Amino acid sequence: MTDTLAPVRDGKIIDGKAFAADLRAKVGRLAAQFEAQARRKAGLAVVLVGEDPASQVYVRAKGKSTLEAGMASFEHRLPADTDEADLLALVEALNVDPAVDGILVQLPLPRHLDEQKVIATISPDKDVDGFHVTNAGRLAVGQPGFVPCTPLGCLMLLKDRLGSLSGLEAVVIGRSNIVGKPMAQLLLAESCTVTIAHSRTRDLPDVVRRADIVVAAVGRPEMVKADWVKPGATVIDVGINRVPGREPGKTRLVGDVDYAAVSQVASAITPVPGGVGPMTIAVLLRNTLVAAYANAALDLASDAI
Ligand code: GUN
């Protein structure tokens, strides 16, 4: 029972909300600097096809945050039955639009649309999601490029908490193209010893127990238990799962980690909500700013953000 557990010490909680707010403020300052130099705002185009309620919430939040950071936001809402050719034509128009620095096509797309084909049509130089194979390849071989927002946000939180990650054992649970695979690449680039675990992994608790860093990105509510986690490990919870609440008819959000119990064992842990979630949009704004500087052929110091 969670009620019998000791409260989590403040210092253990990795406050993604506060970190994201700082990052957004920094992006805002640099966006103003960009506007003064380039004589235009940095611009992000977001494309939403259909009426998926969760996607509508995300897209609204992205547009609002873009404006708050002092950037231009271009929202394109298309009906659920949009032809693939029409969607590809829109992406191609955005690719050559000088006011647009970043392009994000909200996923998932309706089933009649080929996601890979749509992503492949986005110019890699405007692919602020980092989903294009060119950017995935750049990450894999260690070249500069756009990195998916959620795993990059996780890495920022880890480095902020731990400093150097060199030599640490990291276990990433989940092998998606959006989180698991790029997270593993980022940790490898930081000289971690990386294991990618997934639904077919044998003895998952044993695998997780050797980790100094656990990144859970499987979409299974509270799957990672306290006795899976090595005492003192750092735990990053990417999961956002809606489950029945304690009161009838209510729901609540939980991560992929049993927070109440794992927080007694870990030395640091991200809460849900307020951990990784707020980082995703902050990193999207950061990637858009980086894209803007590059597209305008202006210099942005490599350590500026
Ligand atoms: N759907 C859920 N997360 C994401 C994301 O980071 N980018 C895009 N394009 N779609 C998503």
Side-chain angles (χ1 to χ4, degrees):
M1 284 295 292
T2 53
D3 301 2
T4 62
L5 293 168
V8 182
R9 271 192 296 111
D10 270 358
K12 267 195 188 186
I13 301 171
I14 299 177
D15 188 346
K17 200 171 163 194
F19 193 100
D22 281 353
L23 180 57
R24 283 162 55 164
K26 201 191 268 187
V27 170
R29 289 193 291 276
L30 288 167
Q33 185 183 301
F34 174 83
E35 188 176 353
Q37 286 177 272
R39 297 175 192 283
R40 67 170 179 87
K41 286 184 190 288
L44 173 65
V46 177
V47 180
L48 174 62
V49 185
E51 272 111 45
D52 177 72
S55 292
Q56 284 181 327
V57 172
Y58 289 136
V59 165
R60 208 173 306 126
K62 286 168 187 174
K64 184 167 170 271
S65 305
T66 305
L67 296 175
E68 280 170 7
M71 299 182 181
S73 169
F74 307 99
E75 266 183 44
H76 297 268
R77 290 167 184 267
L78 306 180
D81 62 356
T82 296
D83 274 351
E84 190 168 270
D86 290 341
L87 177 58
L88 297 180
L90 171 61
V91 170
E92 277 162 4
L94 296 171
N95 281 343
V96 295
D97 184 339
V100 172
D101 296 295
I103 301 169
L104 180 149
V105 178
Q106 185 67 27
L107 303 180
L109 288 170
R111 284 170 50 167
H112 69 284
L113 299 169
D114 180 345
E115 274 180 14
Q116 287 308 322
K117 201 164 163 187
V118 174
I119 292 167
T121 305
I122 299 171
S123 163
D125 295 334
K126 296 192 177 186
D127 170 37
V128 285
D129 256 333
F131 293 167
H132 193 288
V133 286
T134 297
N135 283 315
R138 285 170 176 158
L139 177 61
V141 299
Q143 288 177 9
F146 290 110
V147 175
C149 303
T150 301
L152 183 53
C154 293
L155 185 77
M156 288 176 177
L157 295 178
L158 282 167
K159 289 176 77 169
D160 182 62
R161 178 55 66 123
L162 297 174
S164 168
L165 310 184
S166 180
L168 296 180
E169 284 271 355
V171 174
V172 178
I173 316 173
R175 55 175 155 178
S176 71
N177 290 337
I178 295 184
V179 183
K181 286 183 208 165
M183 187 74 246
Q185 295 286 5
L186 286 168
L187 292 165
L188 185 60
E190 296 294 328
S191 302
C192 291
T193 302
V194 182
T195 302
I196 306 179
H198 47 77
S199 55
R200 303 287 175 89
T201 297
R202 273 185 286 128
D203 302 324
L204 181 60
D206 274 350
V207 172
V208 175
R209 255 190 297 273
R210 60 172 190 250
D212 303 302
I213 295 170
V214 180
V215 180
V218 269
R220 299 261 216 110
E222 300 181 321
M223 185 183 79
V224 177
K225 304 299 181 198
D227 65 353
W228 297 23
V229 174
K230 178 163 82 174
T234 300
V235 178
I236 304 290
D237 190 350
V238 182
I240 301 177
N241 308 291
R242 197 165 278 286
V243 297
R246 296 197 174 89
E247 289 167 48
K250 294 266 171 72
T251 61
R252 65 192 172 102
L253 288 183
V254 298
D256 293 346
V257 175
D258 180 356
Y259 179 82
V262 171
S263 58
Q264 307 296 315
V265 180
S267 66
I269 184 166
T270 58
V272 176
V276 172
M279 290 299 291
T280 300
I281 290 183
V283 175
L284 174 67
L285 301 175
R286 178 255 177 217
N287 283 356
T288 303
L289 182 86
V290 171
Y293 269 90
N295 292 337
L298 291 168
D299 280 336
L300 178 66
S302 60
D303 61 350
I305 192 141

